[in-house]
Amino acid sequence: MAPIAACTIASSNYLALARVFAESYREHHPGAEVFVCIVDRPNPALRLADFPFVSVFAEELDIPGFTSLAFRCDVLELNTAVKPFFLRALRDRFGLERVLFFDPDVLVLDSLVPLAAELDGAELVVTPHLTAPLPDEQADIERSILAAGVYNLGFLGIRLDAETAAFLSWWGRRLQRFGVVDVARHLFVDQKWIDFAPAFLARVAVVRDPAYNVAWWNLAQRPLRRVGGGWEVFGRRLGFFHFSGFDFADATRVSRHAARLSLDADSDVAALFAAYRARVAAAGHATFSRIPYSFARFTDTEVPVTAELRRTLRRVDPDGRRWPDPFATDGADSFLAWLLEPIEVAGGVLNRAVLGLWEERAELVAAFPLVLDVHLPYYISWLAQYGQTSGGLDPMFLASIRIVAAREAGRPAVAQLDPHVAGGLDHAARIIQRIDLAHPGAMLAWLNDRLPGTARPRPVLTRLMLALHRARGDLQARFPDPFGADQLALAKWFVFLAPDEHHLSPALVRPVFESLSLRDRAAARLTRLRRRMAAARAPASPASGSAAAPTSQRVAAPMRPQHPSIGVNVVGHFAMDTGVGQAARATVAALEGAGVRVATVPLEDALRDDQLLDGGAVGGLPFPITLLHVNADETPRVARRLPPVGLVGSHVIGYWCWELEHFPLSFSDSFAYVDEVWCPSHFNTASVRVLASKPARRMPPCVLAPSPPARLDRTAMGLDAGRFYFFSCFDTRSVVERKNPFGLIEAFRAVVADAARPVGLVLKVTAAELAPSLIGELRQAARGAPVVLLTEPASRAQMDAWFHACDAYVSLHRSEGLGMQPIEALFLGKAVVATAYGGVTDYLDASTAFPVAHRITSLDRDYGPYPRGATWAEPDLADAVQQMRAVIGDPEGVQVRAREGRRRVVELYGCEAAGARMATELTRALAALAQR
């Protein structure tokens, strides 16, 4: 029988160790195959055919999103993350049925046939770090092992069959997202996840034999003794030693992971280490160790990818949604361009690279907690001194950051402008000679910086405008006082003539154009139109024989490559079986249906601690627009938890719903966290605009129609087959007085008293367990009436079934910001009886439903978040009775209104309509962001 194959994983700098491992394994297993996965790009200088193993490159393993993974992980993390995929390839590509995996820093010293035999009865073979407790004074080692994982994955034996295929698939998915060193969050590369193996696989062999996997963590428990030409432990031949953390430059240390352990020069252990050091050196370690790691720099640059930049990408784009190749440097939307993009904050300008460094370094957060405010100058000072050395940042990341100091009163001359503010106009004039002004890309914001010190606030002067003025003597002669008497004339030249003279992107002209008066803007448009017409009539070029391209075509190029579709980060409570959760899920469905790329950030678990939301655990914030699908009261708390590096400099939209005309003054601070607000209804928009310091726009949301149940059996649901049922539902956390279930029960009793047919009311109470006394009061109010009170938790599918089972929906609310449940009922063609007040009036009137009359009343006390003195509606219960009777007694009238109601809500809240509407607004927001 052929000996079992072995494998390892290494980057190019560890190839000497991989060679020594392969040679030592084959010495004790003649004829065995050894496979090595090389986590690096091919190096023409390496003659892999000369190595004693079969090599496979990690990029050949069909790992989804490998390039993004290679950027997010450091060399240790990537070497371990590819392990399940490598094992899968050994099964599928090379036909292996069993394999032993070893770390490359392993030396095999004896036959491992007994160890391989464990796979006869097991699917997986592992060795624990420890097989006995350590002394109390070494409890810290035990704690570190608990954090890193019980089993050491310097060794793993596995059967590559159908029983382990699912396990490898699960393991690979977890390592793609969570194969990192983050002990504080209970993550340690591939190793910590293997703690699940004995629970997930039926047969896992835990080998405690002291001859296998001896290393620094168990060396004190397994004393080695040199015997003849080998080593023994407890009288047994040592199978393999794991030189984890071995420092080849220090002959006195056992491992860089164990500072307290040192080598006694005369000991048998020291002899083993010396023999290994000599063997690795002879294998060419001095040469291989100098090979640069391929995934350590941006493409075609010497700009290093630091640990903080890796974690920044992991936080903002863990799935590679926006940057499939983060190493790329071409294109204005590269990850590098995003890192370099200037971010204007109070008192200065940062970029995302230096902001990400601050975010990822706890000591910097502690030293400069208000980095976007009063501590900014101190952080910039630290960067100037330590940004390259301690921060590891390339100078290009430090070149654009600056402090914007307060200006003295008065209007400075051009030559006197602060060079940090203006960027030095002489310097800028030289720079623009090297910029393609038709495609400014990442330089757009810098060129569009608006310069202070003008005689009047409009029109604005940009850095590009003044740099062109400084570079051209004719402009200086024509406009000698650009900050005073010639301010308007220079701006008109820039808008009317500069686009043709300098082939400017429209994005460079737009800030100045929009600062002109309406009359001047109209004149500019007319001038441009005339020039286009003249260019179109121009004769063919004699040189080319083709029509000369109109100049306007040269300047109409987009400022950056357009994305295949818009991208938006949606933050919300996606896992909640509530209206808030349903709304967030519906928004994502609408956006994806419209072709918008969406990264979701679920809040349920992430807000339970005080940490920033972990990009590894959520969809990250890869896109330039973030939609906070939380209400105004929750916005500050959520925004403060989001990664600043992904949020600052982006366009943030709050999707706020509020139920009263009175928008609380206490919510006014929430506007500081958003750039605009979307409101689901006219009623809601009018309420928000009273205090709005940012644009508030009506944005009818997507509402998902209730899905039909697989089988609808009213009798099985506890309903009478021939009875007409009204359905209503509310959440105890939504303020019971606003939802008014007691008024509904009172009106329903009057309907029952003289109904022409048997009627019933199904009242579903969500979160009933939070209000047991309320449930008791509802039961008392409904006593003797045909009311079905549902208080058990219900899934979305169960709620949908109740919508389908009942004949009509009724809501005698006192106010609603939108009213999602009536919309859901109208989607199904059901009759709806509801108070004609609040957000429901966008879709509910006498042509679509059965509106209930009301009068406006003031609140006599505080009701939850609704303050005394605010107003809401008091439904007319007598009219409610009449409307419910009409629903029961006029089936034909119900059908007419239901058809119109369904048409109205599909038009307003259907996925297709809502998605198209949102995509249009996101396109506008993206354009506005590009002009900042």
Side-chain angles (χ1 to χ4, degrees), residues 368-672:
F368 315 111
L370 302 177
V371 74
L372 300 180
D373 198 346
V374 295
H375 293 155
L376 177 63
Y378 305 104
Y379 181 47
I380 289 180
S381 177
W382 182 91
L383 287 168
Q385 188 171 1
Y386 302 110
Q388 287 182 250
T389 54
S390 176
L393 290 171
D394 187 88
M396 70 185 304
F397 294 120
L398 303 173
S400 62
I401 62 174
R402 66 184 188 272
I403 301 170
V404 179
R407 316 282 190 294
E408 296 181 359
R411 177 168 52 86
V414 176
Q416 296 172 328
L417 279 174
D418 181 349
H420 293 289
V421 178
L425 290 178
D426 288 323
H427 177 62
R430 290 191 298 272
I431 288 178
I432 63 172
Q433 295 174 7
R434 302 195 300 270
I435 298 174
D436 180 0
L437 296 178
H439 307 87
M443 298 297 294
L444 177 68
W446 183 80
L447 293 167
N448 277 349
D449 266 356
R450 302 178 185 192
L451 303 185
T454 55
R456 56 182 72 86
R458 290 177 178 272
V460 302
L461 302 186
T462 65
R463 176 180 283 114
L464 173 61
M465 187 193 307
L466 268 297
L468 292 174
H469 181 272
R470 176 59 59 89
R472 288 178 50 173
D474 61 324
L475 295 180
Q476 295 171 29
R478 187 176 176 185
F479 311 113
D481 188 11
F483 281 85
D486 297 314
Q487 179 182 349
L488 177 59
L490 177 61
K492 287 183 177 181
W493 166 84
F494 185 77
V495 171
F496 287 25
L497 301 176
D500 287 343
E501 294 178 12
H502 290 278
H503 310 316
L504 302 183
S505 163
L508 293 169
V509 182
R510 191 175 297 120
V512 182
F513 171 81
E514 292 179 347
S515 70
L516 294 174
S517 68
L518 290 175
R519 177 178 297 178
D520 289 333
R521 275 184 273 173
R525 289 193 182 98
L526 182 59
T527 299
R528 299 299 298 157
L529 178 60
R530 287 172 176 169
R531 287 178 178 272
R532 287 195 190 99
M533 293 174 65
R537 291 194 297 268
S541 168
S544 65
S546 60
T551 305
S552 61
Q553 291 184 5
R554 295 199 299 270
V555 301
M559 67 173 183
R560 63 177 65 179
Q562 297 300 300
H563 305 309
S565 64
I566 312 160
V568 60
N569 317 304
V570 182
V571 182
H573 295 280
F574 298 105
M576 293 180 64
D577 277 323
T578 62
V580 173
Q582 183 76 342
R585 292 188 293 272
T587 292
V588 171
L591 289 169
E592 291 180 337
V596 175
R597 293 178 295 166
V598 178
T600 57
V601 182
L603 295 175
E604 285 68 39
D605 295 329
L607 293 182
R608 292 177 183 171
D609 57 42
D610 294 330
Q611 302 296 317
L612 290 171
L613 292 181
D614 177 13
V618 298
L621 297 172
F623 300 118
I625 300 177
T626 297
L627 179 61
L628 300 182
H629 222 301
V630 296
N631 287 327
D633 58 333
E634 197 178 9
T635 292
R637 181 170 70 114
V638 170
R640 285 194 294 264
R641 300 286 179 85
L642 294 171
V645 71
L647 201 62
V648 175
S650 67
H651 189 85
V652 182
I653 302 171
Y655 212 150
W656 295 353
C657 187
W658 180 246
E659 296 81 17
L660 267 60
E661 288 186 50
H662 170 86
F663 193 70
L665 184 62
S666 60
F667 291 176
S668 59
D669 289 345
S670 298
F671 288 102

Side-chain angles (χ1 to χ4, degrees), residues 1-5 25 28-33 96-99 111-113 116-120 159:
M1 180 177 178
I4 190 170
Y25 185 82
H28 296 281
H29 306 86
E33 285 190 298
L96 298 188
E97 297 179 354
R98 301 182 182 190
V99 69
S111 170
L112 303 181
V113 170
E118 295 285 347
L119 287 172
D120 291 340
R159 287 170 52 179

